[in-house]
Amino acid sequence: MPLTGTIVTGAAGQLGHALLEAFPEARGLTRLEWDVTHPAPAGLEAGLVLHAAAWTDVDGAEDDPQEAAAVNVGGVQHAAELGAPLVVWSSDYVFDGTKREPYVESDAPRPLGAYGRTKLHGEAAAGEGAWIVRTSWLFGPTSTNFLRTMLRLGAERDEVGVVDDQRGSPTYVGHLAAATKQVLELPYGTYHVAAQGDCTWADFAEAIFEAAGLPTRVRRITTAEFGARAPRPAYSVLRSVKGAPELPHWREGLRDCLAALDRLP
Ligand SMILES: NC(=O)c1ccc[n+]([C@@H]2O[C@H](COP(=O)([O-])OP(=O)(O)OC[C@H]3O[C@@H](n4cnc5c(N)ncnc54)[C@H](OP(=O)(O)O)[C@@H]3O)[C@@H](O)[C@H]2O)c1
């Protein structure tokens, strides 16, 4: 597929950044250039749409599910209306987390919260000419994410309480963005693309502190103790049975992300 005329929505987000590195010929559009709750700006044309714009505040979606849906469902619909092949990223949070082995593409979604519901409805809004890439626990050197939060807290505190009863696969946006090229070789459809290996948030935090050389201790706490507003799946490891690209292990993602952080100005 020729990649001329590729646009990346949500270009200021962590995945948007990584996509612009993997697709240097693409044109990135931030929220200021295209607020995806509205139809595309007049005259915008594309040969391929990499739709990384999304409402990603999982707890905030419980307070404002309508605005979250305007972005995550309406936004996908507006991206699809451009009429170009479309890649949409969806989430492990479309599943309820009751399984204890990896979720595959044919497993029935049952989101626990408002964010997951908007992502599931967004999948449906993408239409026939789309790749739906479900991924999980994204982190990268920019934007707001768990890794950057831990590095900040680790620099401030001796000990951080981190949830130890949710299991998933922390996925480096650089690896996900690079794998998008392989996704484009597959037929349209839904694919699970997340890092190899799995861990709890507490395991991930410990690995971050160790890799960053921080002495910070991790106090393992429960989801109930942490008390977030939105329910989250206790287990949301993803695996593909449809030939989706395999990503490196999350520990390799952590190494690559810290190296990318070091290179930032
Ligand atoms: N983060 C995760 O752990 C995770 C896990 C699984 C799947 N995903 C999915 O992966 C995709 C990329 O997520 P991410 O982690 O890169 O998110 P992110 O860093 O929060 O980036 C999302 C971007 O979308 C922009 N945006 C929000 N509302 C918009 C609107 N109305 N119009 C245009 N742009 C808007 C945001 O702009 P502002 O900065 O101005 O708000 C932000 O730049 C999303 O579809 C997300 O649901 C994420």
Side-chain angles (χ1 to χ4, degrees), residues 10-16 30-31 34-37 51-56 71-72 89-92 115 119 135-138 143-144 173:
Q14 56 175 341
L15 180 60
T30 65
R31 185 205 286 257
W34 180 13
D35 176 339
V36 300
T37 60
H51 183 58
W55 175 299
T56 55
V71 182
N72 289 351
W89 281 270
S90 185
S91 169
D92 53 332
Y115 168 76
K119 294 304 291 182
T135 189
S136 64
W137 295 23
L138 293 187
S143 199
T144 306
V173 288

PDB file of all heavy atoms in Angstrom, residues 10-16 30-31 34-37 51-56 71-72 89-92 115 119 135-138 143-144 173, ligand 1:
ATOM      1  N   GLY A  10      -4.470  12.959  16.675  1.00  0.00           N
ATOM      2  CA  GLY A  10      -3.964  12.868  18.052  1.00  0.00           C
ATOM      3  C   GLY A  10      -2.446  12.904  18.069  1.00  0.00           C
ATOM      4  O   GLY A  10      -1.794  12.215  18.857  1.00  0.00           O
ATOM      5  N   ALA A  11      -1.870  13.735  17.189  1.00  0.00           N
ATOM      6  CA  ALA A  11      -0.419  13.695  16.955  1.00  0.00           C
ATOM      7  C   ALA A  11       0.401  14.101  18.178  1.00  0.00           C
ATOM      8  O   ALA A  11       1.589  13.793  18.249  1.00  0.00           O
ATOM      9  CB  ALA A  11      -0.067  14.594  15.769  1.00  0.00           C
ATOM     10  N   ALA A  12      -0.225  14.779  19.150  1.00  0.00           N
ATOM     11  CA  ALA A  12       0.527  15.193  20.341  1.00  0.00           C
ATOM     12  C   ALA A  12       0.516  14.122  21.434  1.00  0.00           C
ATOM     13  O   ALA A  12       1.170  14.267  22.463  1.00  0.00           O
ATOM     14  CB  ALA A  12      -0.045  16.508  20.886  1.00  0.00           C
ATOM     15  N   GLY A  13      -0.231  13.048  21.228  1.00  0.00           N
ATOM     16  CA  GLY A  13      -0.284  11.981  22.223  1.00  0.00           C
ATOM     17  C   GLY A  13       0.931  11.076  22.141  1.00  0.00           C
ATOM     18  O   GLY A  13       1.759  11.213  21.236  1.00  0.00           O
ATOM     19  N   GLN A  14       1.025  10.117  23.071  1.00  0.00           N
ATOM     20  CA  GLN A  14       2.234   9.275  23.085  1.00  0.00           C
ATOM     21  C   GLN A  14       2.285   8.350  21.867  1.00  0.00           C
ATOM     22  O   GLN A  14       3.346   8.179  21.257  1.00  0.00           O
ATOM     23  CB  GLN A  14       2.361   8.492  24.391  1.00  0.00           C
ATOM     24  CG  GLN A  14       1.184   7.616  24.752  1.00  0.00           C
ATOM     25  CD  GLN A  14       1.444   6.785  26.004  1.00  0.00           C
ATOM     26  OE1 GLN A  14       2.589   6.573  26.423  1.00  0.00           O
ATOM     27  NE2 GLN A  14       0.385   6.310  26.628  1.00  0.00           N
ATOM     28  N   LEU A  15       1.148   7.763  21.485  1.00  0.00           N
ATOM     29  CA  LEU A  15       1.170   6.927  20.289  1.00  0.00           C
ATOM     30  C   LEU A  15       1.329   7.785  19.037  1.00  0.00           C
ATOM     31  O   LEU A  15       2.049   7.410  18.101  1.00  0.00           O
ATOM     32  CB  LEU A  15      -0.114   6.086  20.203  1.00  0.00           C
ATOM     33  CG  LEU A  15      -0.212   5.172  18.986  1.00  0.00           C
ATOM     34  CD1 LEU A  15       0.943   4.165  18.942  1.00  0.00           C
ATOM     35  CD2 LEU A  15      -1.555   4.435  18.958  1.00  0.00           C
ATOM     36  N   GLY A  16       0.673   8.947  19.026  1.00  0.00           N
ATOM     37  CA  GLY A  16       0.809   9.865  17.888  1.00  0.00           C
ATOM     38  C   GLY A  16       2.264  10.202  17.625  1.00  0.00           C
ATOM     39  O   GLY A  16       2.749  10.142  16.481  1.00  0.00           O
ATOM     40  N   THR A  30      -2.769  17.671  15.451  1.00  0.00           N
ATOM     41  CA  THR A  30      -3.082  17.706  16.876  1.00  0.00           C
ATOM     42  C   THR A  30      -4.563  18.076  17.048  1.00  0.00           C
ATOM     43  O   THR A  30      -5.262  18.405  16.080  1.00  0.00           O
ATOM     44  CB  THR A  30      -2.232  18.770  17.596  1.00  0.00           C
ATOM     45  OG1 THR A  30      -2.612  20.050  17.084  1.00  0.00           O
ATOM     46  CG2 THR A  30      -0.746  18.540  17.374  1.00  0.00           C
ATOM     47  N   ARG A  31      -5.004  18.086  18.290  1.00  0.00           N
ATOM     48  CA  ARG A  31      -6.389  18.454  18.580  1.00  0.00           C
ATOM     49  C   ARG A  31      -6.717  19.859  18.051  1.00  0.00           C
ATOM     50  O   ARG A  31      -7.822  20.121  17.604  1.00  0.00           O
ATOM     51  CB  ARG A  31      -6.596  18.418  20.102  1.00  0.00           C
ATOM     52  CG  ARG A  31      -8.026  18.653  20.522  1.00  0.00           C
ATOM     53  CD  ARG A  31      -8.064  19.208  21.921  1.00  0.00           C
ATOM     54  NE  ARG A  31      -7.763  18.233  22.949  1.00  0.00           N
ATOM     55  CZ  ARG A  31      -8.689  17.660  23.715  1.00  0.00           C
ATOM     56  NH1 ARG A  31      -9.952  17.943  23.548  1.00  0.00           N
ATOM     57  NH2 ARG A  31      -8.336  16.824  24.679  1.00  0.00           N
ATOM     58  N   TRP A  34      -7.318  19.410  14.294  1.00  0.00           N
ATOM     59  CA  TRP A  34      -8.565  18.684  14.046  1.00  0.00           C
ATOM     60  C   TRP A  34      -9.083  18.137  15.372  1.00  0.00           C
ATOM     61  O   TRP A  34      -8.548  17.156  15.884  1.00  0.00           O
ATOM     62  CB  TRP A  34      -8.375  17.552  13.034  1.00  0.00           C
ATOM     63  CG  TRP A  34      -9.648  16.784  12.762  1.00  0.00           C
ATOM     64  CD1 TRP A  34     -10.931  17.147  13.123  1.00  0.00           C
ATOM     65  CD2 TRP A  34      -9.777  15.523  12.101  1.00  0.00           C
ATOM     66  NE1 TRP A  34     -11.838  16.199  12.722  1.00  0.00           N
ATOM     67  CE2 TRP A  34     -11.157  15.188  12.071  1.00  0.00           C
ATOM     68  CE3 TRP A  34      -8.864  14.650  11.506  1.00  0.00           C
ATOM     69  CZ2 TRP A  34     -11.639  14.013  11.503  1.00  0.00           C
ATOM     70  CZ3 TRP A  34      -9.345  13.483  10.937  1.00  0.00           C
ATOM     71  CH2 TRP A  34     -10.717  13.176  10.923  1.00  0.00           C
ATOM     72  N   ASP A  35     -10.106  18.790  15.897  1.00  0.00           N
ATOM     73  CA  ASP A  35     -10.830  18.244  17.047  1.00  0.00           C
ATOM     74  C   ASP A  35     -11.775  17.197  16.468  1.00  0.00           C
ATOM     75  O   ASP A  35     -12.738  17.538  15.761  1.00  0.00           O
ATOM     76  CB  ASP A  35     -11.603  19.366  17.756  1.00  0.00           C
ATOM     77  CG  ASP A  35     -12.449  18.838  18.911  1.00  0.00           C
ATOM     78  OD1 ASP A  35     -12.749  17.624  18.920  1.00  0.00           O
ATOM     79  OD2 ASP A  35     -12.822  19.631  19.779  1.00  0.00           O
ATOM     80  N   VAL A  36     -11.490  15.939  16.744  1.00  0.00           N
ATOM     81  CA  VAL A  36     -12.185  14.850  16.039  1.00  0.00           C
ATOM     82  C   VAL A  36     -13.640  14.671  16.466  1.00  0.00           C
ATOM     83  O   VAL A  36     -14.347  13.836  15.898  1.00  0.00           O
ATOM     84  CB  VAL A  36     -11.412  13.510  16.161  1.00  0.00           C
ATOM     85  CG1 VAL A  36     -10.021  13.641  15.556  1.00  0.00           C
ATOM     86  CG2 VAL A  36     -11.369  13.040  17.615  1.00  0.00           C
ATOM     87  N   THR A  37     -14.085  15.453  17.474  1.00  0.00           N
ATOM     88  CA  THR A  37     -15.521  15.417  17.776  1.00  0.00           C
ATOM     89  C   THR A  37     -16.299  16.135  16.675  1.00  0.00           C
ATOM     90  O   THR A  37     -17.526  16.086  16.652  1.00  0.00           O
ATOM     91  CB  THR A  37     -15.846  16.042  19.148  1.00  0.00           C
ATOM     92  OG1 THR A  37     -15.428  17.410  19.150  1.00  0.00           O
ATOM     93  CG2 THR A  37     -15.135  15.303  20.277  1.00  0.00           C
ATOM     94  N   HIS A  51      -5.467   6.722  13.266  1.00  0.00           N
ATOM     95  CA  HIS A  51      -6.328   7.511  14.160  1.00  0.00           C
ATOM     96  C   HIS A  51      -5.924   7.284  15.623  1.00  0.00           C
ATOM     97  O   HIS A  51      -6.453   6.396  16.303  1.00  0.00           O
ATOM     98  CB  HIS A  51      -7.778   7.103  13.927  1.00  0.00           C
ATOM     99  CG  HIS A  51      -8.756   7.891  14.733  1.00  0.00           C
ATOM    100  ND1 HIS A  51      -8.859   9.259  14.666  1.00  0.00           N
ATOM    101  CD2 HIS A  51      -9.669   7.505  15.648  1.00  0.00           C
ATOM    102  CE1 HIS A  51      -9.797   9.682  15.490  1.00  0.00           C
ATOM    103  NE2 HIS A  51     -10.301   8.633  16.101  1.00  0.00           N
ATOM    104  N   ALA A  52      -4.981   8.109  16.092  1.00  0.00           N
ATOM    105  CA  ALA A  52      -4.478   7.959  17.468  1.00  0.00           C
ATOM    106  C   ALA A  52      -5.142   8.916  18.447  1.00  0.00           C
ATOM    107  O   ALA A  52      -4.845   8.878  19.638  1.00  0.00           O
ATOM    108  CB  ALA A  52      -2.957   8.161  17.488  1.00  0.00           C
ATOM    109  N   ALA A  53      -6.044   9.779  17.963  1.00  0.00           N
ATOM    110  CA  ALA A  53      -6.756  10.690  18.881  1.00  0.00           C
ATOM    111  C   ALA A  53      -7.746   9.885  19.700  1.00  0.00           C
ATOM    112  O   ALA A  53      -8.466   9.056  19.163  1.00  0.00           O
ATOM    113  CB  ALA A  53      -7.493  11.769  18.084  1.00  0.00           C
ATOM    114  N   ALA A  54      -7.774  10.142  20.987  1.00  0.00           N
ATOM    115  CA  ALA A  54      -8.726   9.415  21.838  1.00  0.00           C
ATOM    116  C   ALA A  54      -8.853  10.104  23.188  1.00  0.00           C
ATOM    117  O   ALA A  54      -7.953  10.828  23.614  1.00  0.00           O
ATOM    118  CB  ALA A  54      -8.259   7.977  22.053  1.00  0.00           C
ATOM    119  N   TRP A  55      -9.964   9.841  23.838  1.00  0.00           N
ATOM    120  CA  TRP A  55     -10.133  10.170  25.268  1.00  0.00           C
ATOM    121  C   TRP A  55      -9.540   8.985  26.019  1.00  0.00           C
ATOM    122  O   TRP A  55     -10.046   7.868  25.910  1.00  0.00           O
ATOM    123  CB  TRP A  55     -11.625  10.325  25.584  1.00  0.00           C
ATOM    124  CG  TRP A  55     -11.921  10.536  27.045  1.00  0.00           C
ATOM    125  CD1 TRP A  55     -11.638   9.691  28.078  1.00  0.00           C
ATOM    126  CD2 TRP A  55     -12.558  11.676  27.643  1.00  0.00           C
ATOM    127  NE1 TRP A  55     -12.049  10.221  29.272  1.00  0.00           N
ATOM    128  CE2 TRP A  55     -12.628  11.441  29.036  1.00  0.00           C
ATOM    129  CE3 TRP A  55     -13.086  12.864  27.133  1.00  0.00           C
ATOM    130  CZ2 TRP A  55     -13.216  12.345  29.922  1.00  0.00           C
ATOM    131  CZ3 TRP A  55     -13.667  13.761  28.024  1.00  0.00           C
ATOM    132  CH2 TRP A  55     -13.720  13.508  29.403  1.00  0.00           C
ATOM    133  N   THR A  56      -8.468   9.211  26.769  1.00  0.00           N
ATOM    134  CA  THR A  56      -7.785   8.093  27.433  1.00  0.00           C
ATOM    135  C   THR A  56      -7.835   8.185  28.959  1.00  0.00           C
ATOM    136  O   THR A  56      -7.194   7.394  29.637  1.00  0.00           O
ATOM    137  CB  THR A  56      -6.318   8.008  26.969  1.00  0.00           C
ATOM    138  OG1 THR A  56      -5.695   9.269  27.193  1.00  0.00           O
ATOM    139  CG2 THR A  56      -6.220   7.660  25.498  1.00  0.00           C
ATOM    140  N   VAL A  71     -15.558  11.706  21.690  1.00  0.00           N
ATOM    141  CA  VAL A  71     -14.203  11.551  21.145  1.00  0.00           C
ATOM    142  C   VAL A  71     -13.993  10.120  20.617  1.00  0.00           C
ATOM    143  O   VAL A  71     -13.549   9.924  19.485  1.00  0.00           O
ATOM    144  CB  VAL A  71     -13.134  11.872  22.219  1.00  0.00           C
ATOM    145  CG1 VAL A  71     -11.731  11.759  21.617  1.00  0.00           C
ATOM    146  CG2 VAL A  71     -13.360  13.244  22.829  1.00  0.00           C
ATOM    147  N   ASN A  72     -14.331   9.128  21.442  1.00  0.00           N
ATOM    148  CA  ASN A  72     -13.933   7.746  21.123  1.00  0.00           C
ATOM    149  C   ASN A  72     -14.868   7.034  20.149  1.00  0.00           C
ATOM    150  O   ASN A  72     -14.475   6.035  19.542  1.00  0.00           O
ATOM    151  CB  ASN A  72     -13.816   6.930  22.418  1.00  0.00           C
ATOM    152  CG  ASN A  72     -12.609   7.354  23.239  1.00  0.00           C
ATOM    153  OD1 ASN A  72     -11.778   8.129  22.758  1.00  0.00           O
ATOM    154  ND2 ASN A  72     -12.498   6.868  24.463  1.00  0.00           N
ATOM    155  N   TRP A  89      -7.001   2.389  17.228  1.00  0.00           N
ATOM    156  CA  TRP A  89      -6.480   1.622  18.356  1.00  0.00           C
ATOM    157  C   TRP A  89      -7.562   1.455  19.412  1.00  0.00           C
ATOM    158  O   TRP A  89      -8.221   2.428  19.803  1.00  0.00           O
ATOM    159  CB  TRP A  89      -5.231   2.310  18.934  1.00  0.00           C
ATOM    160  CG  TRP A  89      -4.064   2.003  18.078  1.00  0.00           C
ATOM    161  CD1 TRP A  89      -3.205   0.951  18.212  1.00  0.00           C
ATOM    162  CD2 TRP A  89      -3.656   2.709  16.884  1.00  0.00           C
ATOM    163  NE1 TRP A  89      -2.286   0.961  17.172  1.00  0.00           N
ATOM    164  CE2 TRP A  89      -2.547   2.016  16.350  1.00  0.00           C
ATOM    165  CE3 TRP A  89      -4.123   3.829  16.211  1.00  0.00           C
ATOM    166  CZ2 TRP A  89      -1.895   2.426  15.198  1.00  0.00           C
ATOM    167  CZ3 TRP A  89      -3.486   4.239  15.063  1.00  0.00           C
ATOM    168  CH2 TRP A  89      -2.389   3.550  14.562  1.00  0.00           C
ATOM    169  N   SER A  90      -7.745   0.210  19.821  1.00  0.00           N
ATOM    170  CA  SER A  90      -8.701  -0.048  20.890  1.00  0.00           C
ATOM    171  C   SER A  90      -7.945  -0.643  22.083  1.00  0.00           C
ATOM    172  O   SER A  90      -6.712  -0.644  22.100  1.00  0.00           O
ATOM    173  CB  SER A  90      -9.826  -0.963  20.396  1.00  0.00           C
ATOM    174  OG  SER A  90     -10.803  -1.099  21.404  1.00  0.00           O
ATOM    175  N   SER A  91      -8.681  -1.145  23.043  1.00  0.00           N
ATOM    176  CA  SER A  91      -8.091  -1.360  24.352  1.00  0.00           C
ATOM    177  C   SER A  91      -8.408  -2.732  24.939  1.00  0.00           C
ATOM    178  O   SER A  91      -9.470  -3.308  24.682  1.00  0.00           O
ATOM    179  CB  SER A  91      -8.637  -0.274  25.288  1.00  0.00           C
ATOM    180  OG  SER A  91      -8.317  -0.544  26.609  1.00  0.00           O
ATOM    181  N   ASP A  92      -7.494  -3.202  25.791  1.00  0.00           N
ATOM    182  CA  ASP A  92      -7.748  -4.396  26.600  1.00  0.00           C
ATOM    183  C   ASP A  92      -8.932  -4.174  27.545  1.00  0.00           C
ATOM    184  O   ASP A  92      -9.524  -5.131  28.033  1.00  0.00           O
ATOM    185  CB  ASP A  92      -6.490  -4.776  27.393  1.00  0.00           C
ATOM    186  CG  ASP A  92      -5.923  -3.624  28.215  1.00  0.00           C
ATOM    187  OD1 ASP A  92      -6.106  -2.445  27.820  1.00  0.00           O
ATOM    188  OD2 ASP A  92      -5.286  -3.879  29.257  1.00  0.00           O
ATOM    189  N   TYR A 115     -15.062   4.039  29.886  1.00  0.00           N
ATOM    190  CA  TYR A 115     -13.990   4.126  28.877  1.00  0.00           C
ATOM    191  C   TYR A 115     -14.024   2.905  27.951  1.00  0.00           C
ATOM    192  O   TYR A 115     -14.023   3.039  26.731  1.00  0.00           O
ATOM    193  CB  TYR A 115     -12.628   4.244  29.575  1.00  0.00           C
ATOM    194  CG  TYR A 115     -11.444   4.056  28.643  1.00  0.00           C
ATOM    195  CD1 TYR A 115     -11.045   5.065  27.771  1.00  0.00           C
ATOM    196  CD2 TYR A 115     -10.715   2.865  28.639  1.00  0.00           C
ATOM    197  CE1 TYR A 115      -9.958   4.887  26.915  1.00  0.00           C
ATOM    198  CE2 TYR A 115      -9.639   2.676  27.793  1.00  0.00           C
ATOM    199  CZ  TYR A 115      -9.260   3.690  26.935  1.00  0.00           C
ATOM    200  OH  TYR A 115      -8.192   3.509  26.086  1.00  0.00           O
ATOM    201  N   LYS A 119     -14.667   2.616  23.864  1.00  0.00           N
ATOM    202  CA  LYS A 119     -13.700   2.014  22.929  1.00  0.00           C
ATOM    203  C   LYS A 119     -14.376   0.904  22.109  1.00  0.00           C
ATOM    204  O   LYS A 119     -14.132   0.771  20.916  1.00  0.00           O
ATOM    205  CB  LYS A 119     -12.481   1.455  23.680  1.00  0.00           C
ATOM    206  CG  LYS A 119     -11.618   2.509  24.374  1.00  0.00           C
ATOM    207  CD  LYS A 119     -11.112   3.591  23.445  1.00  0.00           C
ATOM    208  CE  LYS A 119     -10.094   3.112  22.448  1.00  0.00           C
ATOM    209  NZ  LYS A 119      -9.604   4.223  21.588  1.00  0.00           N
ATOM    210  N   THR A 135      -4.760  -2.938  22.034  1.00  0.00           N
ATOM    211  CA  THR A 135      -3.464  -2.982  22.696  1.00  0.00           C
ATOM    212  C   THR A 135      -3.656  -2.680  24.177  1.00  0.00           C
ATOM    213  O   THR A 135      -4.795  -2.520  24.635  1.00  0.00           O
ATOM    214  CB  THR A 135      -2.485  -2.012  22.011  1.00  0.00           C
ATOM    215  OG1 THR A 135      -1.182  -2.231  22.544  1.00  0.00           O
ATOM    216  CG2 THR A 135      -2.892  -0.555  22.200  1.00  0.00           C
ATOM    217  N   SER A 136      -2.555  -2.635  24.948  1.00  0.00           N
ATOM    218  CA  SER A 136      -2.739  -2.531  26.400  1.00  0.00           C
ATOM    219  C   SER A 136      -1.614  -1.738  27.068  1.00  0.00           C
ATOM    220  O   SER A 136      -0.479  -1.730  26.603  1.00  0.00           O
ATOM    221  CB  SER A 136      -2.761  -3.935  27.020  1.00  0.00           C
ATOM    222  OG  SER A 136      -1.525  -4.583  26.847  1.00  0.00           O
ATOM    223  N   TRP A 137      -1.973  -1.082  28.169  1.00  0.00           N
ATOM    224  CA  TRP A 137      -1.010  -0.480  29.117  1.00  0.00           C
ATOM    225  C   TRP A 137       0.124   0.260  28.389  1.00  0.00           C
ATOM    226  O   TRP A 137       1.308  -0.019  28.593  1.00  0.00           O
ATOM    227  CB  TRP A 137      -0.414  -1.561  30.016  1.00  0.00           C
ATOM    228  CG  TRP A 137      -1.379  -2.248  30.944  1.00  0.00           C
ATOM    229  CD1 TRP A 137      -2.726  -2.375  30.827  1.00  0.00           C
ATOM    230  CD2 TRP A 137      -1.025  -2.931  32.170  1.00  0.00           C
ATOM    231  NE1 TRP A 137      -3.233  -3.088  31.885  1.00  0.00           N
ATOM    232  CE2 TRP A 137      -2.219  -3.439  32.717  1.00  0.00           C
ATOM    233  CE3 TRP A 137       0.176  -3.163  32.841  1.00  0.00           C
ATOM    234  CZ2 TRP A 137      -2.238  -4.160  33.914  1.00  0.00           C
ATOM    235  CZ3 TRP A 137       0.159  -3.887  34.018  1.00  0.00           C
ATOM    236  CH2 TRP A 137      -1.039  -4.367  34.556  1.00  0.00           C
ATOM    237  N   LEU A 138      -0.253   1.227  27.547  1.00  0.00           N
ATOM    238  CA  LEU A 138       0.766   1.916  26.731  1.00  0.00           C
ATOM    239  C   LEU A 138       1.671   2.820  27.574  1.00  0.00           C
ATOM    240  O   LEU A 138       1.220   3.475  28.514  1.00  0.00           O
ATOM    241  CB  LEU A 138       0.085   2.778  25.657  1.00  0.00           C
ATOM    242  CG  LEU A 138      -0.672   2.021  24.565  1.00  0.00           C
ATOM    243  CD1 LEU A 138      -1.152   2.997  23.492  1.00  0.00           C
ATOM    244  CD2 LEU A 138       0.207   0.937  23.941  1.00  0.00           C
ATOM    245  N   SER A 143       4.026  12.460  26.912  1.00  0.00           N
ATOM    246  CA  SER A 143       2.622  12.419  27.340  1.00  0.00           C
ATOM    247  C   SER A 143       2.502  11.858  28.768  1.00  0.00           C
ATOM    248  O   SER A 143       3.489  11.681  29.465  1.00  0.00           O
ATOM    249  CB  SER A 143       1.803  11.598  26.339  1.00  0.00           C
ATOM    250  OG  SER A 143       0.432  11.865  26.439  1.00  0.00           O
ATOM    251  N   THR A 144       1.274  11.591  29.166  1.00  0.00           N
ATOM    252  CA  THR A 144       1.028  11.093  30.520  1.00  0.00           C
ATOM    253  C   THR A 144       0.915   9.583  30.461  1.00  0.00           C
ATOM    254  O   THR A 144       0.119   9.058  29.702  1.00  0.00           O
ATOM    255  CB  THR A 144      -0.319  11.660  31.037  1.00  0.00           C
ATOM    256  OG1 THR A 144      -0.276  13.076  30.920  1.00  0.00           O
ATOM    257  CG2 THR A 144      -0.563  11.265  32.480  1.00  0.00           C
ATOM    258  N   VAL A 173       5.071   2.234  23.091  1.00  0.00           N
ATOM    259  CA  VAL A 173       4.453   2.805  21.890  1.00  0.00           C
ATOM    260  C   VAL A 173       5.384   2.734  20.672  1.00  0.00           C
ATOM    261  O   VAL A 173       4.908   2.623  19.544  1.00  0.00           O
ATOM    262  CB  VAL A 173       3.988   4.262  22.103  1.00  0.00           C
ATOM    263  CG1 VAL A 173       2.758   4.327  22.990  1.00  0.00           C
ATOM    264  CG2 VAL A 173       5.099   5.149  22.624  1.00  0.00           C
TER     265      VAL A 173
HETATM  266  N1  LIG B   1      -2.774   4.681  27.149  1.00  0.00           N
HETATM  267  C1  LIG B   1      -3.038   3.386  27.275  1.00  0.00           C
HETATM  268  O1  LIG B   1      -2.640   2.746  28.245  1.00  0.00           O
HETATM  269  C2  LIG B   1      -3.831   2.673  26.216  1.00  0.00           C
HETATM  270  C3  LIG B   1      -4.095   1.308  26.359  1.00  0.00           C
HETATM  271  C4  LIG B   1      -4.816   0.653  25.362  1.00  0.00           C
HETATM  272  C5  LIG B   1      -5.258   1.345  24.262  1.00  0.00           C
HETATM  273  N2  LIG B   1      -5.003   2.680  24.158  1.00  0.00           N
HETATM  274  C6  LIG B   1      -5.494   3.398  22.975  1.00  0.00           C
HETATM  275  O2  LIG B   1      -4.377   3.783  22.200  1.00  0.00           O
HETATM  276  C7  LIG B   1      -4.657   5.001  21.515  1.00  0.00           C
HETATM  277  C8  LIG B   1      -3.559   6.032  21.767  1.00  0.00           C
HETATM  278  O3  LIG B   1      -3.555   6.355  23.148  1.00  0.00           O
HETATM  279  P1  LIG B   1      -2.384   7.205  23.823  1.00  0.00           P
HETATM  280  O4  LIG B   1      -1.915   6.422  24.988  1.00  0.00           O
HETATM  281  O5  LIG B   1      -1.421   7.670  22.789  1.00  0.00           O
HETATM  282  O6  LIG B   1      -3.231   8.437  24.364  1.00  0.00           O
HETATM  283  P2  LIG B   1      -2.749   9.921  24.732  1.00  0.00           P
HETATM  284  O7  LIG B   1      -1.284   9.992  24.972  1.00  0.00           O
HETATM  285  O8  LIG B   1      -3.709  10.352  25.789  1.00  0.00           O
HETATM  286  O9  LIG B   1      -3.045  10.696  23.384  1.00  0.00           O
HETATM  287  C9  LIG B   1      -4.332  10.914  22.917  1.00  0.00           C
HETATM  288  C10 LIG B   1      -4.289  12.162  22.083  1.00  0.00           C
HETATM  289  O10 LIG B   1      -5.615  12.403  21.584  1.00  0.00           O
HETATM  290  C11 LIG B   1      -5.860  13.771  21.715  1.00  0.00           C
HETATM  291  N3  LIG B   1      -7.282  14.072  21.780  1.00  0.00           N
HETATM  292  C12 LIG B   1      -8.134  13.967  22.824  1.00  0.00           C
HETATM  293  N4  LIG B   1      -9.346  14.419  22.481  1.00  0.00           N
HETATM  294  C13 LIG B   1      -9.241  14.826  21.197  1.00  0.00           C
HETATM  295  C14 LIG B   1     -10.146  15.410  20.279  1.00  0.00           C
HETATM  296  N5  LIG B   1     -11.431  15.668  20.622  1.00  0.00           N
HETATM  297  N6  LIG B   1      -9.710  15.719  19.035  1.00  0.00           N
HETATM  298  C15 LIG B   1      -8.431  15.487  18.675  1.00  0.00           C
HETATM  299  N7  LIG B   1      -7.518  14.947  19.504  1.00  0.00           N
HETATM  300  C16 LIG B   1      -7.929  14.626  20.752  1.00  0.00           C
HETATM  301  C17 LIG B   1      -5.174  14.196  22.986  1.00  0.00           C
HETATM  302  O11 LIG B   1      -4.990  15.570  22.948  1.00  0.00           O
HETATM  303  P3  LIG B   1      -4.791  16.411  24.294  1.00  0.00           P
HETATM  304  O12 LIG B   1      -3.381  16.137  24.686  1.00  0.00           O
HETATM  305  O13 LIG B   1      -5.054  17.806  23.866  1.00  0.00           O
HETATM  306  O14 LIG B   1      -5.793  15.885  25.273  1.00  0.00           O
HETATM  307  C18 LIG B   1      -3.882  13.403  22.891  1.00  0.00           C
HETATM  308  O15 LIG B   1      -2.899  14.128  22.189  1.00  0.00           O
HETATM  309  C19 LIG B   1      -6.042   5.419  21.993  1.00  0.00           C
HETATM  310  O16 LIG B   1      -7.007   4.978  21.073  1.00  0.00           O
HETATM  311  C20 LIG B   1      -6.214   4.683  23.294  1.00  0.00           C
HETATM  312  O17 LIG B   1      -7.577   4.462  23.613  1.00  0.00           O
HETATM  313  C21 LIG B   1      -4.289   3.361  25.093  1.00  0.00           C
END
